[in-house]
Amino acid sequence: MRFAGVLAIIAVTMMTSCSKEERKNDEIPASMKLYQELRSVDRMTFASMSITKSVKMESDAWYKVGKRIAVYSYDSHMQAYIDMSELQESDLVFDDKQHTVRILLPAVKTEVSGRDMTMRKEYENIGFFRSDLSSKERAEMKERANKSFVKEVEDNPEFRERLTDEAQRKARKYFEALCDSAGYMATIDFKK
């Protein structure tokens, strides 16, 4: 009997505290709730890509018999993200009568996010009298290929443009669905 009474008191206390919490949440405008929710995410990745980079090493010293040719490859990774900590409260404009919201998102940023640790052997032709590639030589090949890859990405805007376009498309769909679930039709734009 005492146990049932204690459970009843706990249940009543929990329901009372929940209703107080619900009242506090109802006092916060929908625009502020959405803003706080979006900003708390910090960083959202919307697109990524893998790019295969190949590197060739060839040595045929005149004083050694036979050729020594090796081609290796590995994947480098890029991603496109939005830094939601840059979102300002003024970037969300609500029209409660029309149930619409205009969101001006921070610009999509891209970065090289990493590379595979191991390289794949694509081709090797090492003469009988020549030595195999050492781990040091493979590491030097990979470092040379990585420098070349970073320069390619910097010089060729196509990689970043494709990734940015994909991220913007996915971000629009995501935020439109998020706002739709809250009862608002969203218009999404991006800062430059």
Side-chain angles (χ1 to χ4, degrees):
M1 184 82 165
R2 282 185 180 164
F3 183 69
V6 170
L7 283 178
I9 292 171
I10 292 172
V12 169
T13 305
M14 287 176 63
M15 287 192 304
T16 306
S17 65
C18 289
S19 62
K20 286 179 185 175
E21 194 64 36
E22 286 172 5
R23 274 186 254 133
K24 285 181 184 175
N25 284 339
D26 288 342
E27 293 170 9
I28 299 173
S31 59
M32 182 55 78
K33 283 183 197 176
L34 183 61
Y35 168 71
Q36 290 172 344
E37 183 180 327
L38 294 177
R39 190 161 163 94
S40 70
V41 173
D42 195 36
R43 181 174 165 157
M44 297 180 78
T45 300
F46 285 100
S48 63
M49 70 170 38
S50 294
I51 302 164
T52 300
K53 183 66 182 171
S54 297
V55 62
K56 177 182 177 183
M57 193 211 59
E58 186 171 5
S59 61
D60 54 353
W62 62 269
Y63 54 88
K64 292 187 178 183
V65 177
K67 289 188 177 187
R68 192 169 180 241
I69 302 170
V71 178
Y72 283 81
S73 67
Y74 68 94
D75 292 333
S76 286
H77 309 283
M78 289 183 69
Q79 64 182 8
Y81 66 93
I82 298 174
D83 185 353
M84 296 304 290
S85 68
E86 296 177 2
L87 186 70
Q88 302 297 313
E89 192 175 348
S90 60
D91 294 334
L92 284 84
V93 180
F94 282 84
D95 183 344
D96 289 324
K97 290 180 184 176
Q98 300 294 322
H99 292 283
T100 60
V101 60
R102 182 178 178 277
I103 302 175
L104 183 60
L105 291 171
V108 172
K109 298 177 182 178
T110 59
E111 68 181 1
V112 175
S113 57
R115 62 184 186 194
D116 290 349
M117 294 300 291
T118 58
M119 293 198 311
R120 296 180 298 275
K121 179 171 47 171
E122 302 295 340
Y123 175 79
E124 231 178 37
N125 182 359
I126 298 176
F128 182 74
F129 297 106
R130 303 297 301 267
S131 62
D132 287 337
L133 266 67
S134 68
S135 58
K136 180 181 177 187
E137 288 174 308
R138 284 193 300 275
E140 288 170 355
M141 286 173 66
K142 188 172 185 178
E143 199 53 43
R144 199 171 67 238
N146 190 57
K147 285 180 183 174
S148 169
F149 170 73
V150 169
K151 183 168 176 20
E152 257 181 80
V153 168
E154 289 171 357
D155 293 347
N156 185 353
E158 182 183 349
F159 296 119
R160 293 186 188 281
E161 287 171 2
R162 285 180 45 203
L163 205 52
T164 299
D165 290 346
E166 180 71 12
Q168 286 180 345
R169 188 180 63 75
K170 287 182 177 179
R172 273 195 178 92
K173 284 185 178 182
Y174 174 80
F175 288 108
E176 286 169 356
L178 180 71
C179 293
D180 186 52
S181 69
Y184 289 89
M185 187 186 328
T187 303
I188 311 296
D189 291 312
F190 297 89
K191 294 178 183 175
K192 300 292 179 196

